[in-house]
């Protein structure tokens, strides 16, 4: 009994974690805060494929569905074929983005105005500028996918609320969300102030110029796309233009001479990349490996452009990769032969009769690591300088001006020495033709850069017209991306599980299943 | 019973009154007082022996020292001494006033002693608890690497699920339905006072294994015992016994697969056309076919394709390690005839010859014949039979002062997968010594080492090993013709597992040491204090190193990954127990008070690297020091429990029994609600000792009614620091350190509380040769932990809460009988059956009907749109029900296709099927609409799905309930028949009233891998020639096409099974023969183990698991020869 006499019971049972921080001893220092904002960038990377490709591009009508040319079943066909409905929503749980928003909310809640903030003003201002910018990006992504979504700006579970009834959150209206996005991006720019106006930037971390690009994209969207009670404001377009010109006039950025060099794994910090998601061997690799081939599905089966049987691992993939996604043959065929982007983006292959069988994506092949394995570690650009020019073209077209100079600047770089100023230049035309030309230029420029779906939703057949998604010319094969009776498909349905977990939620208009209720914005 | 006698409370009262009255009357007679002492054959005093004057009710009970004093004894009368487990003794008084007797054990019905925790023991007849003892025969017959494998069907209420035949596997054990919402929850295992798992324990070291079920008893283990307690005592020396024993078992384990795979010819006959069939589903007006497969691969380098090659371009060098020589299938050419003549290759007509001709530019040049080699991957991947060996050697002895037991054990069990094994080494030394008359020292040391490799290191899933990699197409070439050497196959994961086992070095080792020192201080005969210290080291050492190995035919993996890990857990348990026994007249009281301090500290280091310059050494120092090439980690976790507890057992004349326990626990895992108090109370009434039962003595020899009520806690499943929340380092981003929120703080979480009420009736008949036990229990767990789903917008998917109430309710019945017992014959039987049903009683309010968590909707069938919520957890419902599509047959021919029917796309197996249309739906679509819809017509060979709501549309709500997935009934029975020296033992166990669905067979028959082999069940698929088939048509990648092989009643079965677990025949050599060689005893035995199931679920590897089940490591059929010698 003596053993126990000296034990003070409670003290002996108070044991804190030995290898990491308990919640009681975090948010005490600047390095902790910086590491958490690094973690927010990690979030950006982990949701990058969903956000960028599945939400930003897959539905754009340029993807093969069913079986790939190499005989493999392709992934995410429901999304790529726009066969989504209330039972087959394509995405679930708001694409998982609220987990990332949670992290942003946590930083803002714990750091803004705290002692760490006061004692490290400049450094924490930048961290908050990053956090507000990234949160605006998440809400902008959700807005373009779902319209009005639950607006959550605080981590309530840390306030001691763990009952689900306290956490139920109905969908806000589109206008409320758009206003919130605009206010967040403004806060981001305010926090950045003039800190990053000069000097080198790290293009895989969120910067002021990333926020400027996002602001331009937000205002351009707001100027062109209406949704429910969210209508374009008079100054949306000029704001978009101003943000774009700020970046255009920033001498730290510009076009590279050679298109292929932009994506070189050896030159990832080039002046064309404004913001990219970092991939690195040992940290994380991208999904580009799902767009290539496995040797057994390629070698000895297909022929090259000259009719010679492919008998080697041409792209040196070394057995890493599959073909789970493939761009349509029609899209590849739409490229001009002189366009260097075709060779930089795709490898094409044929059957024994010389017909095009298919293509694989070779824009983001990564590198061979020291163990001799292929790793898809190319950084994936999120904003690059070409986007500034093509968005300016779009602004110009909306203003009734001449977008041709911007288009031609892009095309000149793409064709390189083969550019014939007479035959290859674009000349200003009517609104719709201009929009279609901008779309085609963006298509060829931004393959697998997460733009296509947003482009066919934002580019229109008339100033107050319909999105090009409904236009037969938009897919290079005479079919529209969406049928005219599918306007509800401009947004995504919410999956049943998400709806079931929150009785305040209603389905996206047009996607009602059974007894579900729909939003009426 | 011959008389229909009833009794009631008044009657009992009268009997008691009469008894007391008789006692008081007796004083006036001219009788004497007799004193005496009662001992057993070992001269140990016997406590509680009933001493009475024969033919009267005058009687008493011996005290703690075996002494009795009986007044009022007629000098010419007779005294009757009775004691459960002892032969009743009748002694004539003959005027003596001192009578000392020695009682002899009644070997026919030796009274069992049960252990009650913290050193307590109780005679079975006096216990008020549900404590089941595992028959040692269960542990001795057969060959086991751990004792859990021997528990199937052994104990009522204990369900043992053997879902893996891996010799190192520990089966899942669930007591009374489990206290978790999903029906899981395993008992706490305590070996000589030390909490540990059953794995790596040598069954031979076990003297006594018991399962404590009722909370009246388990409350003494308070915080962690809500799923019951398995108490194990190891063997110790016995006074007066000195012996040495050697046991040897050698067994052969035979693979017992539920699948029979097609050979190469049949594979090609089905696989090649499947590509054509799924490419040609309907025809456009211009004659071109529409489908979803690409038959271009029929001539490619595929297992079924003809693009493979035997020779290199030079036409003479045999190819190896090229993609085009993995498979044997080729078009027949004369130059390959030698393969048929010399190497057993085969030739067949191309089953799709006509098709290939039809699409060829030059039909006349299309070859007609295929050549291929048949290979069964199982011949390379399995060792069948594999062998098991088990050796045990023990020595024991004891005298008045000291006792000693030492045992050595070795088990080496080969697994069925090549290069797999499990080895266990065990050492046990137990010694007791009476240092002073008042001081006894008890010391124990055990050591267990285990080494194992469950499968070849290229594998991560037992389910895959026993299904997927056996479906590698039989056209694969695993042997080189020219020299007989092995080839890899398609890749190292699925390919030939015998190809390069030497390329993967793995060391898995655990060392478990237990050291216990106890001092028992006897203050008086009936008062003692026991102080114990127990250290349990559980260590693991793991190394893995890959030499340069062939990853696929064209690639050598030279990463040279090397890793090492050392982990150690030190459990320290210290306790002090004070015990006091007393007897005052007929009142017997035993009191125990104690306190315990438990500290567990787990820590370890891990390091890994790659890129060493050579693959000869695994030394981590040689790995590359480049960035991101090395990974190091260390980890530490500490937990503590502080407890105070007590127990009081009381009985009056062994007739009225009462037991109370109380425990107070504090656990470091919890933050704001750390302490819990867990009481238990139980009572019993041995009514057979009542005088009114004496008329039935010859029929009912023992009868006891018992009841108990108690409270337990549970905090399992919570991390040591989880409730404190965490911020943890994560993967770097661009080389920068990151921190993320690991878990959200949750400091208010409380103990789960489980209260169990039970009532039982124990009866023995005909001098205890037959006995029955009935127990009813009701166990309610409240403040239940469960993750509560939060709205996705909160950013946290779920949080753990004290979440509602969950009930287990059931009945346990146990029977045993010894119908025949004479000098030549002995026949004994034992059987048990249990019923259990789980119910979700309440869930926290979340605004949904029945506060439902999870679940999905199905049509009620009431009208076309009415949907009901099923599955998940809902108040008042039993969790775990299986819902699938109902197959109402296969469309045999065109005439059966419905006009109006649409089968909507269905997502399963990571893909989505095409919409299907009935006759008129299809006919009414334009060709462009058909193409745009991506749909197909419903055709003969497709499944006719039940349209629950009758709306002509099959969608995801058209599911039907199949049934519950956890057996309601389970148990076991065994019998022993002995004739002279020969003995036969059989043990069976069973479970019924549950449903199971085969996950793997539809994957195989649905050709979901797309190229892999099928089982011969494919013969039962629909074809034009076989329209009455059981299964739908065999096509390529059904999950991308019509979805005929989705979850459906085609693959659901009643899981009811009866397992023939063991049959053993043993022979004891006559003593006259062996005594000359100083041998006391020599037994020989042959045992069959896991001989098979009688079940409807024949396509499953084991029916022991319910619900949707993948393949698994099938339990091998084992035949074991045993030798047991005692010197």
């Amino acid at each position: 009994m003596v053993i126990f006499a000296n034990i003070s019971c409670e003290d002996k049972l108070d044991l804190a974690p030995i290898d990491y921080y308990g919640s009681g001893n975090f948010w005490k220092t600047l390095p902790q805060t910086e590491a958490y904002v690094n973690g927010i960038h990690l979030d950006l990377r982990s949701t990058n494929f969903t956000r960028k490709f599945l939400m930003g591009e897959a539905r754009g009508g340029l993807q093969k569905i069913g079986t790939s040319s190499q005989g493999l079943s392709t992934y995410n066909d429901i999304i790529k074929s726009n066969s989504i409905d209330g039972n087959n929503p394509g995405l679930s749980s708001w694409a998982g983005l609220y987990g990332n928003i949670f992290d942003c909310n946590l930083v803002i809640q714990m750091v803004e105005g705290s002692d760490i903030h006061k004692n490290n003003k400049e450094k924490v201002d930048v961290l908050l500028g990053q956090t507000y910018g990234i949160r605006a990006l998440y809400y902008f992504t959700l807005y373009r996918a779902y319209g009005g979504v639950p607006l959550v700006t605080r981590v309530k579970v840390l306030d001691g609320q763990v009952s689900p009834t306290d956490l139920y959150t109905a969908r806000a209206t589109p206008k409320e969300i758009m206003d919130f996005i605009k206010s967040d991006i403004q806060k981001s720019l305010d926090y950045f102030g003039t800190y990053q106006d000069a000097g080198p930037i790290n293009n895989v971390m969120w910067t002021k110029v990333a926020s400027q690009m996002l602001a331009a994209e937000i205002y351009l969207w707001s100027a062109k796309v209406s949704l429910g009670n969210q209508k374009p404001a008079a100054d949306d377009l000029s704001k978009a233009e101003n943000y774009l010109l700020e970046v255009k006039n920033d001498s730290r950025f510009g076009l590279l001479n050679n298109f292929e060099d932009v994506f070189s794994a050896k030159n990832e910090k080039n002046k064309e990349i404004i913001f990219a998601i970092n991939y690195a061997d040992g940290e994380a690799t991208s999904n580009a490996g799902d767009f290539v081939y496995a040797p057994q599905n390629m070698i000895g089966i297909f022929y090259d452009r000259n009719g010679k049987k492919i008998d080697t691992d041409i792209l040196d993939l070394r057995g890493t990769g599959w073909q789970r996604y493939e761009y349509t043959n029609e899209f590849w065929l739409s490229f001009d032969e002189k366009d260097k982007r075709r060779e930089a983006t795709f490898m094409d292959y044929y059957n024994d009769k010389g017909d095009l069988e298919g293509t694989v994506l070779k824009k983001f092949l990564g590198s061979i690591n020291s163990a001799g394995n292929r790793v898809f570690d190319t950084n994936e650009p999120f904003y690059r300088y070409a986007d500034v020019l093509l968005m300016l073209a779009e602004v110009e077209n909306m203003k009734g001006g001449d977008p041709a100079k911007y288009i031609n600047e892009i095309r000149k770089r793409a064709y390189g020495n083969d550019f014939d100023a007479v035959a290859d230049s674009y000349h200003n035309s009517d609104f719709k033709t201009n929009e279609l030309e901008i779309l085609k230029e963006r298509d060829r420029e931004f393959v697998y850069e997460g733009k296509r779906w947003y482009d066919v939703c934002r580019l229109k057949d008339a100033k107050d017209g319909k999105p090009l998604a409904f236009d037969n010319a938009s897919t290079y094969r005479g079919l529209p991306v969406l049928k005219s009776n599918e306007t509800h498909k401009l947004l995504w349905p919410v999956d049943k599980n998400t709806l079931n977990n929150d009785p305040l939620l209603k389905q996206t208009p047009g996607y009602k299943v059974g007894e579900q209720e729909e939003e009426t914005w | 019973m011959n008389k229909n006698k009833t009794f009631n409370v008044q009657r009992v009262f009268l009997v008691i009154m009469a008894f007391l009255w008789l006692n008081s009357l007796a004083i006036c007679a001219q009788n004497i007082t007799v004193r005496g002492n009662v001992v057993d054959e070992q001269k140990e005093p016997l406590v509680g022996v009933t001493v009475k004057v024969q033919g009267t009710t005058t009687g008493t009970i011996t005290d703690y020292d075996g002494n009795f004093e009986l007044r009022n004894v007629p000098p010419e009368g007779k005294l009757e001494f009775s004691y459960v487990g002892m032969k009743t003794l009748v002694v004539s008084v003959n005027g003596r006033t001192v009578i000392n007797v020695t009682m002899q054990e009644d070997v026919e019905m030796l009274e069992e002693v049960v252990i009650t925790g913290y050193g307590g023991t109780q005679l079975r007849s006096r216990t008020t608890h549900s404590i089941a003892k595992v028959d040692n025969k269960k542990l001795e017959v057969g060959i086991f690497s751990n004792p859990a494998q021997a528990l199937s069907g052994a104990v009522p209420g204990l369900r043992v699920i053997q879902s893996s035949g891996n010799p190192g596997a520990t089966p899942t054990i669930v007591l009374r339905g489990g206290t978790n919402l999903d029906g899981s929850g395993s008992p706490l295992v305590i070996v000589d006072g030390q909490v540990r798992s059953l794995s790596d324990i040598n069954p031979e070291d076990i003297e006594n294994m018991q399962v404590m079920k009722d909370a009246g008893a388990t409350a003494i283990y308070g915080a962690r015992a809500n799923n019951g307690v398995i108490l194990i005592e190891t063997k110790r020396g016995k006074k007066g016994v000195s012996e040495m024993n050697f046991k040897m078992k050698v067994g052969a384990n035979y693979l017992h697969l539920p699948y029979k795979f097609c050979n190469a010819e049949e594979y090609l006959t089905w696989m090649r056309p499947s590509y054509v069939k799924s490419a040609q589903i309907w025809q456009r007006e211009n004659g071109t076919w529409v489908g979803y497969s690409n038959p271009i691969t029929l001539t490619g380098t595929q297992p079924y394709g003809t693009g493979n090659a035997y020779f290199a371009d030079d036409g003479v060098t045999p190819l190896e390690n090229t993609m085009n020589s993995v498979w044997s299938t080729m078009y027949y050419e004369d130059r390959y005839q030698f393969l048929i003549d010399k190497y057993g290759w085969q030739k067949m007509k191309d089953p799709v010859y006509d098709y290939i001709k039809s699409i060829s530019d030059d039909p006349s040049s299309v070859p007609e014949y295929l050549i291929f080699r048949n290979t069964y991957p199982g011949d390379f991947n399995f060792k069948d039979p594999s062998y098991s060996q088990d050796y045990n050697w023990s020595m024991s002895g004891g005298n008045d002062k000291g006792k000693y037991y030492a045992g050595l054990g070795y088990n080496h069990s080969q697994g069925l997968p090549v290069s797999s094994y499990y080895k266990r080494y065990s050492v046990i030394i137990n010694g007791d010594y009476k240092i002073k008359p008042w001081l006894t020292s008890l010391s124990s040391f055990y050591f267990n080492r285990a080494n194992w490799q469950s499968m070849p290191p290229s594998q991560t899933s037992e389910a895959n090993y026993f299904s997927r990699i056996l479906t590698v197409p039989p056209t694969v070439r695993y042997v080189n013709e020219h020299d007989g050497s092995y080839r890899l196959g398609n890749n190292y994961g699925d390919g030939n597992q015998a190809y390069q086992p030497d390329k993967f070095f793995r060391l898995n080792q655990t060392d478990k040491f237990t050291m216990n020192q106890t001092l028992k201080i006897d203050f008086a005969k009936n008062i003692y204090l026991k102080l114990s210290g127990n250290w349990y080291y559980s260590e693991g050492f793991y190394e893995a190193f890959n030499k340069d190995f062939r990853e696929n035919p064209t690639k050598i993996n030279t990463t040279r990954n090397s890793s090492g890990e050392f982990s150690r857990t030190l459990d320290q348990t210290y306790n002090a127990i004070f015990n006091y026994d007393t007897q005052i007249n007929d009142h017997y009281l035993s009191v125990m008070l104690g306190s315990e301090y438990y500290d567990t500290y787990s820590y370890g280091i891990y390091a890994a690297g790659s890129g060493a310059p050579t693959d000869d050494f695994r030394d981590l120092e040689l790995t590359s020091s480049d960035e991101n090439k090395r990974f190091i980690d260390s980890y530490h976790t500490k937990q503590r429990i502080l407890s105070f507890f007590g127990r009081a057992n009381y009985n009056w004349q062994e007739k009225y029994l009462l037991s109370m326990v109380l425990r107070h626990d504090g656990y470091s895992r919890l933050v704001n609600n750390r302490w819990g108090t867990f009481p238990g109370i139980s009572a019993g009434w041995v009514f057979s000792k009542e005088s009114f039962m004496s008329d039935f003595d010859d029929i009912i020899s023992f009868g006891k009614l018992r009841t108990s009520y108690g409270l337990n806690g549970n905090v399992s499943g919570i991390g040591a620091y989880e409730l404190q929340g965490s911020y943890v380092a994560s993967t770097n981003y661009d080389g920068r350190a990151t921190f993320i929120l690991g878990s959200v703080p949750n400091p208010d979480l409380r103990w789960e509380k489980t209260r169990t009420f039970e009532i039982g009736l124990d009866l023995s008949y005909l001098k205890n040769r037959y006995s029955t036990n009935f127990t009813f229990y009701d166990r309610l767990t409240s403040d239940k932990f469960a993750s509560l789903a939060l709205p996705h917008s909160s950013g946290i998917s779920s949080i753990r809460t004290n979440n509602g109430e969950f009930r287990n309710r059931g009945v346990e019945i146990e029977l045993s009988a010894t119908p025949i017992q004479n000098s030549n014959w002995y026949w004994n039987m034992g059987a048990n059956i249990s019923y259990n049903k789980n119910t979700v009683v309440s869930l926290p309010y979340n605004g949904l009907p029945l506060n439902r968590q999870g679940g999905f909707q199905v049509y009620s069938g009431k009208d076309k749109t009415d949907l009901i919520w099923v599955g998940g957890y809902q108040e008042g419902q039993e969790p775990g029900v299986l819902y699938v599509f109902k197959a109402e047959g296969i469309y045999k021919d065109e005439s059966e296709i419905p006009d109006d029917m649409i089968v909507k796309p269905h997502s399963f197996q990571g893909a989505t099927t095409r919409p299907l249309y009935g006759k008129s739906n299809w006919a009414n679509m334009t060709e462009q609409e058909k193409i745009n819809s991506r749909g197909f017509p419903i055709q003969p060979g497709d499944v006719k799905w039940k349209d629950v709501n009758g709306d002509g549309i099959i969608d995801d709500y058209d599911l039907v309930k199949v049934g519950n997935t956890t057996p309601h009934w389970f148990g076991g029975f065994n019998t022993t028949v002995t004739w002279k020296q020969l003995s036969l033992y059989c043990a069976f166990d069973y479970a019924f009233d549950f449903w199971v669905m085969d996950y793997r067979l539809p994957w195989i028959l649905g050709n979901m891998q797309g190229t892999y082999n099928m089982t011969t069940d494919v013969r039962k698929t629909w074809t034009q020639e076989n329209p009455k088939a059981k299964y739908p048509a065999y096509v390529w990648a059904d999950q991308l096409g019509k979805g005929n092989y989705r979850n459906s009643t085609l693959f659901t079965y009643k899981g009811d099974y009866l397992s023939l677990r063991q049959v053993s025949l043993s022979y004891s050599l006559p003593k006259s023969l062996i005594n000359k060689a100083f041998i006391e005893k020599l037994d020989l035995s042959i045992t069959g183990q896991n001989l098979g199931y009688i079940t409807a679920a024949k396509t499953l590897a084991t029916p022991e698991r319910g619900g949707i089940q993948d393949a698994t490591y099938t339990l091998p059929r084992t035949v074991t020869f045993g030798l047991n010698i005692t010197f």
Side-chain angles (χ1 to χ4, degrees), chain A residues 453 456-457 459 466-472 474 480-483 490:
Chain A
W453 168 248
V456 296
C457 292
L459 292 154
K466 284 168 62 179
L468 292 182
F470 298 100
D471 196 284
N472 281 345
S474 64
V481 179
L482 295 177
K483 285 181 257 180
L490 289 169

Side-chain angles (χ1 to χ4, degrees), chain A residues 10 12-15 19 21 23 27 35 38 45 67 73 87 168 202 204 281 283 370 373 498 500 513, chain B residues 292 555 628-629 635-636 640 668 674-675 724 727 732-737 739 792 846 869 957 1040:
Chain A
E10 280 304 321
K12 283 284 171 190
L13 298 178
D14 275 335
L15 299 171
D19 297 331
Y21 294 113
S23 57
W27 301 116
N38 290 340
R45 180 165 72 189
T67 312
S73 54
N87 290 320
Y168 290 151
N202 180 351
V204 294
D281 187 26
E283 287 185 9
S370 56
N373 293 315
T498 300
N500 293 340
V513 175
Chain B
Y292 62 98
K555 183 173 176 195
N628 292 328
K629 292 288 172 207
Y635 46 88
H636 311 81
R640 287 190 184 136
S668 66
R674 181 169 281 162
W675 289 87
Q724 301 182 38
Y727 286 85
N732 281 5
Y733 179 82
D734 191 32
R736 291 149 197 264
F739 264 97
H792 294 300
N846 65 2
W869 280 95
Y957 304 120
L1040 303 172

Side-chain angles (χ1 to χ4, degrees), chain B residues 40 69 193 335 413 427 510 781 910 976 1014 1026 1042:
Chain B
D40 65 12
E69 182 179 300
R335 61 175 174 147
S413 303
V427 176
T510 54
T781 302
T976 308
M1014 61 298 277
N1026 183 17
K1042 293 180 162 184

Side-chain angles (χ1 to χ4, degrees), chain B residues 127-143:
Chain B
T127 186
T128 50
H129 303 300
S130 261
I131 300 179
K133 184 174 176 348
V134 176
D135 186 356
N136 278 16
K137 189 128 195 174
K138 270 276 175 192
L139 300 169
E140 287 161 7
V141 176
I143 191 162

Side-chain angles (χ1 to χ4, degrees), chain A residues 306 451 463:
Chain A
N306 304 317
K451 309 284 182 193
K463 257 187 195 169

Side-chain angles (χ1 to χ4, degrees), chain A residues 23-302:
Chain A
S23 57
N25 42 14
F26 202 77
W27 301 116
K28 304 284 190 224
T29 66
L30 180 64
Q32 287 174 340
T33 311
E34 286 173 332
Y36 205 84
V37 176
N38 290 340
I40 283 180
H41 287 80
L42 196 66
D43 284 349
L44 269 180
R45 180 165 72 189
S46 65
T47 54
N48 184 40
F49 182 72
T50 302
R51 262 192 355 266
K52 190 188 90 161
F53 182 76
L54 294 181
M55 301 178 80
E57 182 164 352
R59 295 182 59 193
L62 299 188
Q63 293 289 315
K64 280 190 189 171
I65 47 174
T67 312
S68 77
S69 57
Q70 292 163 28
L72 273 80
S73 54
T74 53
Y75 285 171
N76 283 307
D77 282 3
I78 294 225
I79 294 175
K80 294 187 299 192
S81 63
N82 284 307
S83 309
I84 48 173
D85 58 39
N87 290 320
N88 302 287
L91 295 174
S92 59
S93 316
W94 307 110
L97 296 187
Y98 277 101
N100 299 5
I101 290 172
F102 174 100
D103 286 332
C104 297
N105 289 344
L106 188 60
V107 172
I108 292 166
Q109 190 168 332
M110 301 311 262
V111 175
E112 201 169 37
S114 69
D115 286 345
I116 307 174
H117 191 180
K118 286 175 199 145
N119 299 335
N120 307 275
K121 180 97 175 50
E122 175 170 351
K123 284 186 170 160
V124 175
D125 273 357
V126 169
L127 296 176
L128 285 168
Q130 292 176 319
T131 307
Y132 272 108
I134 292 171
R135 188 168 77 173
L137 169 71
Y138 288 131
Y139 271 108
F140 185 46
T141 308
L142 287 170
Y143 175 80
R144 286 179 291 177
Y146 297 99
V149 290
L151 186 56
V152 179
T153 59
R154 223 189 131 69
V155 175
K156 284 192 189 166
V157 287
L158 294 187
D159 299 341
Q161 296 186 45
V162 290
S163 160
T165 46
D166 298 328
L167 297 171
Y168 290 151
T169 312
R171 295 171 76 161
T173 67
K175 180 157 184 358
E176 285 166 339
I177 297 297
M178 184 46 98
D179 288 347
F180 178 77
I181 293 167
K182 288 175 175 171
S183 113
D184 255 10
I185 198 66
Q186 190 55 49
K187 278 189 195 156
S188 167
L189 290 164
D190 291 346
Y191 271 119
F192 278 121
T194 57
Y195 294 135
Q196 296 183 338
D197 282 356
I201 60 151
N202 180 351
N203 68 7
V204 294
M205 299 299 284
W206 193 270
T207 54
K208 182 183 176 187
V209 66
S211 280
Q212 287 170 319
M213 288 298 289
L214 177 61
E217 210 185 358
I218 290 166
Y219 281 100
L220 183 60
W221 189 275
S222 182
K224 294 183 77 174
V225 185
S226 302
L227 177 63
N229 62 352
Q230 166 58 30
K231 308 273 193 257
D235 59 350
D236 278 348
L237 195 66
S238 60
K239 282 190 172 164
E241 183 173 24
N242 288 340
Y243 287 121
L244 290 168
L245 290 174
E246 280 173 24
V247 183
K248 185 170 184 294
N249 298 330
D250 190 330
S251 60
R252 291 173 294 177
F253 305 102
L255 287 183
L256 296 191
N257 292 330
N258 185 356
F259 179 79
E260 195 172 2
D261 293 346
V262 179
F263 312 100
S264 160
K266 295 190 187 72
N267 185 27
E268 296 187 311
K269 309 269 172 181
N270 65 63
K271 67 173 184 173
E272 185 160 342
I273 311 275
I274 292 169
F275 176 62
I277 302 296
N278 176 259
Y279 286 99
D281 187 26
E283 287 185 9
T285 53
S286 76
N287 289 57
D290 284 341
F291 291 74
V292 293
Y293 61 79
Q296 64 268 34
N297 298 327
M298 171 63 62
I299 298 167
I301 296 176
F302 296 108

